[in-house]
């Protein structure tokens, strides 16, 4: 009888996972089938747990690198996870878009109508956030606390950890883009299209929920022996759970009604769990600085070879500090492609370049002058990896993500070299040091903040140079500890995602390009007040309880 019920439940679960409400593009709930699966899970062994839940649980990590968010214009940059991060990168102080001219009609770089209620791109960020929460809630509908209490399965703990973390990440993404210091999100903790519509919770209640869910995920992962380091299978990690906790706590500090000291402690504890895990280490100079690996002669012209495998930023196997990321087989590279000279056009602004100490090896990834040995770049063509269109290498170009021969590839035809086949480290150890130093600086422990920063600076000191510190770093004289953290965040995390936008929004720092000699629009000032998106009109019209941002 149990076997028959098991088979029936498997069939019904498959139907549940594939059926679709055409209007909402979501799976309609079926409480009877959910209960049948829960009944089996209460006493299921590991093999049965995996048979019942693996498909749904394995579907959660891909949401972090998903696409199809813009339902109006599929070609829009914001239609994918990497496009959304790239869009955020474009509107900042430190990244210049375009080689020898500003790309035509680039609304992101010029700051045109990016966050209004009727913007064509605003819903994309909403769809990404709540696509994740809905997917997580489907799993949590089945793996309830009561099921967990009755079944000690390690797999069950990992699966529910994935769901809690994905829900937390989705709500954090929503709060970072649509939340204010007062207003949070409408909280839904189950997937049920018939459940009552919810008003927006307070910012603090939303962030408290995120911290609770991510903490539960961290506890589940610890019990399931999930590690802190990024895996070559792009699975979720404790590095990511603690990243979400720390980010949510730093946002909560500014929330209305928050006790700042409580959330500073939560953020620092999350950072320390990662730092003290013993599983992550700083990249070496060889791993951090991308370098030319040789040349190849095409049509009598010597052209450079940059291998993805030589860079820690493009190859997780060479990155000992990657706490979460995507292997190239699982949607890697992503946003880093925008800064790859072979295809991308992101460059560094001169104002930040000039602040990087000459003894800091990170500066070797940025180049003020055009390269003398290859002033012209040849893009991929039909017959070779570099026999297509050509363009001149610009000033202030970046080799941090440079590659024209992808992972597992070789110099040759375009489909042999596979330019851009690279991994992507979304979360790194260095950011935990930066967040910890920020907490220390903002709580008055400036000496401790400098000590924490000094560990990062020592790791980034070029070979043969005197060890860099907060006291001898060129360009940091006279800065407060917090300003030092802010500068080092810009240098360390350049081009890796939406860090500058997210930090500027949280630190109340506007985009201000005045004084730049590289930006195409050096008079642009974009205020922090416009960095918070309006709730999409589709949500306001379907949920009358939802309150629009001011």
């Amino acid at each position: 009888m149990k076997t028959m019920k098991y088979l029936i439940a498997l069939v019904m679960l498959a139907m549940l996972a594939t059926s679709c409400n055409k209007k909402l593009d979501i799976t309609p709930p079926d409480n009877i089938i959910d209960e049948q699966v829960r009944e089996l899970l209460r006493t299921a062994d590991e093999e049965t747990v995996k048979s019942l839940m693996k498909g749904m649980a394995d579907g959660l990590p891909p949401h972090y690198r998903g696409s199809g968010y813009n339902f109006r214009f599929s070609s829009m940059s914001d239609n994918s996870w990497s496009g959304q991060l790239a869009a955020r990168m474009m509107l900042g102080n430190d990244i210049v878009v375009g080689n020898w001219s500003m790309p035509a009609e680039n609304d992101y770089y010029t700051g045109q109508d990016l966050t209004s209620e009727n913007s064509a791109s605003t819903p994309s960020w909403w769809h990404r956030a709540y696509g994740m929460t809905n997917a997580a809630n489907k799993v949590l509908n089945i793996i309830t606390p009561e099921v967990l209490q009755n079944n000690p399965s390690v797999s069950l703990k990992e699966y529910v950890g994935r769901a809690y973390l994905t829900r937390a990440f989705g709500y954090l993404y929503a709060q970072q883009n649509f939340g204010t210091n007062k207003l949070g999100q409408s909280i839904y903790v189950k997937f049920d299209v018939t459940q009552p519509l919810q008003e927006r919770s307070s910012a603090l209640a939303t962030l408290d929920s995120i911290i609770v869910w991510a903490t539960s995920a961290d506890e589940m992962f610890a019990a399931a022996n999930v590690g802190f380091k990024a895996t070559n299978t792009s699975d979720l990690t404790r590095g990511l759970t603690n990243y979400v906790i720390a980010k949510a706590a730093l946002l909560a500090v500014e929330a209305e009604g928050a006790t700042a000291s409580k959330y500073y402690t939560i953020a620092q504890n999350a950072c320390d769990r990662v730092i003290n895990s013993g599983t992550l280490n700083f990249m070496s100079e060889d791993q951090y600085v991308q370098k030319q690996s040789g040349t190849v002669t095409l049509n009598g012209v010597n052209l450079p070879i940059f291998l993805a495998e030589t860079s820690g930023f493009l190859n997780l196997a060479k990155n000992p500090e990657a706490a979460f990321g995507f292997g190239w087989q699982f949607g890697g590279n992503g946003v880093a492609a925008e800064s790859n000279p072979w295809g991308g056009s992101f460059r560094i602004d001169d104002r930040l370049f000039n602040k990087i100490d000459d003894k800091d090896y990170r500066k070797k990834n940025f180049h003020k002058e055009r390269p003398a040995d290859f002033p012209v770049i040849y893009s991929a063509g039909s017959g070779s990896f570099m026999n297509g269109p050509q363009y001149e290498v610009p000033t202030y170009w970046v080799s941090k993500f440079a590659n024209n021969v992808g992972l597992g590839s070789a110099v040759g035809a375009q489909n042999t070299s596979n330019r851009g086949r690279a991994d992507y480290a979304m979360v790194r150890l260095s950011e935990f040091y930066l967040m910890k130093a920020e907490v220390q600086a903002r709580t008055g422990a400036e000496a401790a903040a400098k000590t924490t920063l000094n560990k990062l600076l020592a790791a980034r000191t070029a070979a043969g140079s005197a060890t860099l510190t907060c006291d001898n770093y060129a360009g940091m004289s006279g800065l407060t500890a917090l300003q030092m953290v802010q500068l080092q965040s810009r240098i360390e995390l350049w081009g890796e995602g939406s860090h500058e936008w997210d930090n500027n929004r949280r630190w109340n720092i506007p985009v201000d390009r005045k004084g730049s000699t590289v930006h195409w629009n050096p008079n642009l000032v974009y205020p922090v007040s416009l960095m918070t998106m309006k709730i999409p009109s589709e949500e306001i019209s379907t949920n009358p309880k939802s309150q629009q941002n001011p």
Side-chain angles (χ1 to χ4, degrees), residues 4 6 18 32 36 52 113 136 148 170 272 304 323 341 360 402 405 440 442 485 512 520 544:
M4 179 59 70
Y6 167 64
T18 57
I32 297 176
Q36 288 177 329
L52 287 169
D113 191 25
L148 275 178
D272 281 337
D360 185 338
V405 179
Q440 293 167 325
R442 295 181 71 183
V485 171
D512 187 349
W520 308 111

Side-chain angles (χ1 to χ4, degrees), residues 12 59 72 89 111 148 161 163 201 256 348 483:
M12 296 303 290
R72 309 178 193 184
M89 290 164 59
L148 275 178
S201 298
E256 187 176 274
I348 188 171
Q483 289 171 330

Side-chain angles (χ1 to χ4, degrees), residues 125-197:
W125 274 262
W126 188 265
H127 295 155
R128 183 180 187 221
Y130 288 100
M132 299 180 82
T133 63
N134 283 338
N137 284 345
K138 290 177 185 179
V139 175
L140 292 170
N141 274 4
I142 297 173
I143 310 178
T144 63
E146 187 269 338
V147 169
L148 275 178
Q149 185 177 359
N150 280 274
N151 192 333
S153 164
V154 172
S155 298
L156 207 56
K157 289 180 173 63
E158 181 177 352
Y159 293 160
V160 79
R162 292 182 189 181
Y164 275 127
L165 177 55
T166 303
R167 179 199 281 168
F169 190 98
Y171 271 105
L172 176 63
Y173 199 68
Q175 189 63 16
Q176 285 176 315
N177 287 288
F178 299 95
T180 70
N181 289 345
K182 179 178 180 179
L183 289 170
Q185 308 301 314
S186 300
I187 304 296
Y188 298 96
V189 295
K190 64 178 180 178
F191 180 78
D192 182 354
V193 295
T194 66
Q195 66 185 306
L197 296 172

Side-chain angles (χ1 to χ4, degrees), residues 244-389:
V244 172
I245 293 169
K247 286 290 187 181
L250 288 174
L251 279 175
V253 166
E254 308 295 338
E256 187 176 274
T259 302
S261 58
K262 170 184 174 181
Y263 294 98
Y264 281 133
T265 299
I266 291 172
Q268 181 163 336
N269 287 344
C271 292
D272 281 337
R273 277 192 291 274
V274 176
I275 292 170
N276 299 329
S277 68
T279 57
L280 300 169
N281 299 288
F282 287 121
M283 280 190 277
S284 66
E285 180 174 346
D286 177 67
Q287 294 163 330
Y288 197 104
V289 179
Q290 176 63 313
K291 60 200 76 64
Q292 184 176 335
S293 299
T295 60
V296 62
T297 302
L298 291 176
N299 299 324
V301 179
N302 290 328
L303 299 173
I305 297 172
F306 283 83
L307 304 175
E309 68 183 42
T310 63
S311 168
F313 289 105
L314 304 173
N315 184 1
L316 291 178
K318 284 183 65 72
N319 192 332
E321 63 179 89
F324 175 66
F326 312 139
W328 70 264
Q329 312 96 316
F330 301 92
N333 196 29
V335 68
E338 301 290 348
S339 304
N340 181 5
W342 281 268
S345 70
F346 284 7
R347 299 184 287 144
I348 188 171
D349 181 37
D350 64 312
R351 295 172 299 169
L352 180 59
F353 177 86
N354 292 334
K355 291 181 182 295
I356 307 176
D357 195 295
D358 289 338
K359 297 183 292 295
D360 185 338
Y361 66 65
R362 294 175 295 187
K363 198 167 189 174
K364 297 180 181 180
N365 276 329
F366 304 102
H367 311 275
K368 178 180 180 180
E369 306 296 337
R370 299 175 61 201
D373 52 345
F374 59 96
V376 174
I377 281 180
Y378 290 77
S379 301
S382 58
S384 169
F385 78 131
M386 283 191 291
N387 75 334

